[in-house]
Amino acid sequence: MVVGLVEYLDRVKHDLHLSQDEESEVLLELTTHIEERVEELTQTGLSAEEASRYCLENMGPARLLAHDVYEA
């Protein structure tokens, strides 16, 4: 499990303003992307916590990500 993922996705969800189906699809895609990236980072030697923190920090602020997804 990615440390902090649930909280991050909750913040994204709060600002998405999409239909339930679109929201679910976006959150599933984000979850998959983040989990895959964390796995890649742990294979380079980072701990799961370090990889999680690094990945979520590089995703940017949840509000900005939600805005970008909504605009797309």
Side-chain angles (χ1 to χ4, degrees):
M1 178 72 181
V2 176
V3 177
L5 178 60
V6 171
E7 295 83 3
Y8 185 81
L9 292 176
D10 282 345
R11 291 191 306 269
V12 170
K13 181 179 177 178
H14 180 266
D15 291 316
L16 272 179
H17 309 294
L18 299 174
S19 72
Q20 183 67 37
D21 289 341
E22 292 171 319
E23 184 180 276
S24 295
E25 184 178 330
V26 166
L27 294 175
L28 178 60
E29 286 184 36
L30 284 173
T31 300
T32 301
H33 174 73
I34 292 168
E35 288 175 342
E36 287 173 353
R37 183 66 180 132
V38 167
E39 178 64 26
E40 291 171 3
L41 291 169
T42 57
Q43 290 177 2
T44 67
L46 292 177
S47 71
E49 186 175 331
E50 291 169 324
S52 296
R53 186 174 46 250
Y54 178 84
C55 185
L56 292 178
E57 286 174 1
N58 282 289
M59 292 295 291
R63 176 174 244 164
L64 181 59
L65 179 62
H67 176 73
D68 290 346
V69 168
Y70 182 77
E71 289 296 314

